[in-house]
Each structure stands twice: as structure tokens, then as C-alpha cells.
């Protein structure tokens, strides 16, 4: 991913980007740089920040909006079939965005320079 010299705005309370391979901590850097395959569909763009990315202030981290919606649907599902479908949807979205696979972003993050 060619990101040299690119500037992205990150919430000040966001956790620091973990090293590649470490567990995801919700820093948001990867999704702020470029959308994943699900994000491309939801954002309708190949470059730039993912439109589905959400800042969750209570958790002090970024989360995937598509995954948050699937989790909310799973919580409110009524009946065994509805619960099974929403669990499957959440699992599929998690697989598509590589949730739980660890950090795969090799970008170097630098703090802003004071003028």
C-alpha cells in the first residue's frame, strides 16, 4: 500500500497503531487509509477513508460500521431463524473484513509537526 506522505485525521483518543501481526486495537489507520473489500462496496470508492468506519467514543476506538450494524441486528433478532441468519451475517462480515486476523497495515504513523 503506497501511503508515503499521506495525511489522515485520527481521533486524538484513538489507540496507537499496533505493529503488523499484532491484535487489532481499533486504531483505525488501515480503514482511514483505504477501504477493505466490504468498505469498497459501502463507500463506493477504491481510495480514501472508508465511509463505514465509526468512532466509538465510549470504547475509545474505531469500529467497522457494517459489523456494528450486524451486531445490533443480532441482538434484536426474534426467533431461531432470524437469530441464525444474523449470526451468519455477522460471521461473514467479520471474515470479509479479516476481523480477528491481526493488524495487516504496514503504514508508519507520525504525530503532526508543530508549526
Amino acid at each position: 500500500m503506497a501511503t508515503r506522505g499521506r495525511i489522515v485525521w485520527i481521533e486524538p483518543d484513538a489507540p496507537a497503531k499496533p505493529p503488523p501481526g499484532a491484535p487489532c486495537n481499533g486504531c483505525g489507520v488501515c480503514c482511514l487509509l483505504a477501504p477493505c473489500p466490504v468498505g469498497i462496496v459501502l463507500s463506493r470508492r477504491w481510495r480514501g477513508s472508508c465511509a463505514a468506519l465509526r468512532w466509538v467514543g465510549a470504547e475509545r476506538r474505531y469500529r467497522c460500521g457494517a459489523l456494528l450494524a450486524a451486531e445490533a441486528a443480532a441482538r434484536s433478532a426474534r426467533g431461531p431463524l432470524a437469530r441464525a441468519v444474523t449470526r451468519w451475517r455477522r460471521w461473514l462480515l467479520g471474515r470479509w473484513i479479516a476481523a480477528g486476523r491481526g493488524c495487516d497495515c504496514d503504514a508508519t504513523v507520525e504525530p503532526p509537526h508543530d508549526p
Side-chain angles (χ1 to χ4, degrees):
M1 175 185 308
T3 57
R4 186 175 180 102
R6 183 131 175 252
I7 296 173
V8 295
W9 301 103
I10 300 173
E11 285 288 332
D13 289 339
K17 185 194 160 311
C24 176
N25 64 2
C27 73
V29 172
C30 57
C31 300
L32 289 166
L33 288 172
C36 71
V38 171
I40 289 170
V41 172
L42 297 174
S43 300
R44 296 184 306 275
R45 60 180 170 228
W46 292 84
R47 289 180 281 235
S49 297
C50 180
L53 186 64
R54 301 287 178 261
W55 172 251
V56 182
E59 297 177 19
R60 295 179 65 180
R61 66 183 183 139
Y62 285 97
R63 301 273 317 267
C64 174
L67 199 54
L68 287 173
E71 289 170 356
R75 284 191 301 273
S76 64
R78 302 285 185 249
L81 181 59
R83 284 192 297 273
V85 168
T86 55
R87 276 195 308 269
W88 176 81
R89 186 174 123 197
R90 190 212 174 281
W91 174 83
L92 189 59
L93 278 167
R95 185 167 170 87
W96 284 342
I97 67 169
R101 297 285 183 186
C103 181
D104 64 354
C105 181
D106 61 359
T108 301
V109 179
E110 297 178 16
H113 301 286
D114 290 328

